[in-house]
């Protein structure tokens, strides 16, 4: 499968994630957060968090995720925080498939720190016969986030997802939307990322066409999140880093505005929404 990225790129990405992923839980209850919760209330604090995360976790996932005890695998799982949250929120049994050596190490360390079996992080090439032979139709849920857009033949990548999924199982595929306003901002902050992404599939109609409806029954295919600066990054040492940090702080206010004014509905559109998500059941 022809990839638009190299293993070395992902090793570097996951190495940079190590400190945040393995930060002790006590850091999440730091005094600024406790103070804000006391002054503003837990509901307001919740409104400050990512708006597209709210739509995915509190609206879509809550509607479609199976009962506790179901197995879930994430393709390209490092650093593993998404799987940990699936375990803690829905009681799913988490597995990860990761081919980056650094990513495997970080993901296993996070699992161990959160009381999960680190051997559930499978050090495999997702496209290898070894992976398919060992795990064909094994999982109740297959998830990938920001994975299929890194390949020149994304429909074939989606089909491989389905081969690991049990009949009747849930498929969740999320990709970034780097078109519209987001394309311009990515070109400003980190233009080197654009050639690593298949931009052609970052439109709702093109994205939906990746999923063979004879194999999977769609229940949702949509833009998610009204706008988010969290989508963007900068290279290490970039002069634009302070500007992006300021934008990230402004996003907190936007999150509150979106939750207050839009609720669960959002104002999704192809120009500014940060993600597209597909959810369906294997036939």
């Amino acid at each position: 499968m022809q990839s638009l990225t190299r293993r070395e790129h992902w090793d570097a990405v996951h190495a940079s994630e190590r400190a945040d992923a393995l930060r002790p839980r006590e850091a999440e209850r730091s005094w600024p957060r406790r103070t804000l919760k006391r002054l503003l209330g837990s509901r307001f604090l919740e409104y400050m968090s990512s708006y597209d995360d709210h739509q995915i976790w509190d609206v879509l996932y809550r509607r479609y995720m199976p009962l506790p005890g179901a197995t879930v695998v994430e393709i390209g799982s490092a650093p593993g925080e998404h799987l940990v949250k699936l375990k803690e929120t829905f009681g799913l049994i988490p597995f990860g498939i990761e081919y980056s050596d650094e990513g495997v190490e970080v993901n296993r360390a996070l699992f161990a720190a959160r009381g999960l079996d680190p051997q559930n992080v499978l050090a495999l090439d997702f496209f290898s016969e070894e992976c398919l032979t060992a795990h064909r139709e094994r999982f109740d849920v297959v998830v990938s986030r920001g994975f299929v857009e890194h390949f020149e033949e994304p429909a074939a990548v989606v089909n491989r997802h389905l081969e690991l999924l049990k009949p009747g199982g849930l498929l969740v595929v999320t990709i970034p939307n780097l078109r519209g306003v987001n394309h311009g901002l990515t070109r400003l902050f980190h233009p080197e990322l654009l050639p690593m992404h298949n931009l052609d599939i970052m439109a709702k109609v093109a994205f939906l066409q990746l999923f063979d409806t004879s194999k999977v029954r769609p229940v949702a295919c949509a833009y998610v999140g009204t706008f988010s600066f969290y989508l963007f990054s900068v290279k290490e040492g970039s002069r634009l880093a302070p500007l992006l940090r300021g934008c990230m702080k402004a996003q907190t206010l936007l999150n509150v505005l979106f939750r207050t004014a839009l609720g669960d509905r959002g104002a999704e559109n192809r120009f500014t929404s940060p993600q597209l998500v597909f959810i369906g059941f294997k036939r």
Side-chain angles (χ1 to χ4, degrees), residues 239-254:
R239 295 178 181 178
L240 294 175
L243 174 60
L244 185 56
R245 284 196 297 270
C247 292
M248 297 287 192
K249 293 178 180 178
Q251 183 64 44
T252 301
L253 299 178
L254 289 176

Side-chain angles (χ1 to χ4, degrees), residues 135-176:
H135 304 292
R136 186 190 297 272
E137 295 191 344
R138 177 180 179 184
F139 301 102
D140 298 297
V141 183
V142 173
V143 175
S144 74
R145 302 174 305 115
F147 183 81
V148 303
E149 77 278 6
H150 293 296
F151 296 90
E152 293 185 353
E153 300 177 41
V157 179
V158 168
N159 284 335
R160 177 55 67 98
H161 285 55
L162 290 170
E163 291 187 274
L164 302 188
L165 187 60
K166 294 178 181 178
L170 184 70
L171 175 67
V172 180
V173 176
T174 304
I175 65 171

Side-chain angles (χ1 to χ4, degrees), residues 171-192:
L171 175 67
V172 180
V173 176
T174 304
I175 65 171
N177 174 26
L178 299 182
R179 301 177 74 170
V181 170
N182 298 331
H183 185 275
L185 288 172
T186 302
R187 186 169 294 281
L188 170 67
F189 286 117
H190 204 162
E192 295 82 3

Side-chain angles (χ1 to χ4, degrees), residues 4 12 77 84 98 125 135 149 154 165 167 180 183 199 205 213 221 223 240 250 264 280:
L4 301 174
S77 58
V84 169
E98 179 59 59
D125 181 344
H135 304 292
E149 77 278 6
L165 187 60
H183 185 275
L199 303 180
V205 172
T213 54
C221 183
Y223 295 99
L240 294 175
D264 294 344

Side-chain angles (χ1 to χ4, degrees), residues 11 44 63 118 122 124 129 174 189 202 250 259 263:
D11 281 340
F44 189 85
R63 184 179 302 160
L122 309 171
L124 288 172
E129 284 304 311
T174 304
F189 286 117
M202 295 179 182
R259 287 291 299 274

Side-chain angles (χ1 to χ4, degrees), residues 174-271:
T174 304
I175 65 171
N177 174 26
L178 299 182
R179 301 177 74 170
V181 170
N182 298 331
H183 185 275
L185 288 172
T186 302
R187 186 169 294 281
L188 170 67
F189 286 117
H190 204 162
E192 295 82 3
L193 293 181
L194 290 173
M196 300 181 188
H197 293 80
N198 186 332
L199 303 180
D200 292 338
I201 66 171
M202 295 179 182
K204 183 177 175 179
V205 172
F207 183 50
L208 182 59
Q209 289 174 346
L210 301 181
F211 303 89
D212 185 344
T213 54
S214 69
K215 298 178 180 179
V216 60
R217 176 175 62 87
V219 294
C221 183
Y223 295 99
V224 175
T226 299
F227 175 77
S228 180
F229 281 114
Y230 302 150
L231 179 63
F232 311 110
S233 64
V234 294
K235 288 198 303 184
E236 186 175 353
S238 170
R239 295 178 181 178
L240 294 175
L243 174 60
L244 185 56
R245 284 196 297 270
C247 292
M248 297 287 192
K249 293 178 180 178
Q251 183 64 44
T252 301
L253 299 178
L254 289 176
N255 293 334
V256 174
L257 174 63
F258 294 155
R259 287 291 299 274
T260 303
L262 302 175
D264 294 344
R265 301 187 311 277
E268 277 64 45
N269 64 89
R270 61 193 176 101
F271 299 106

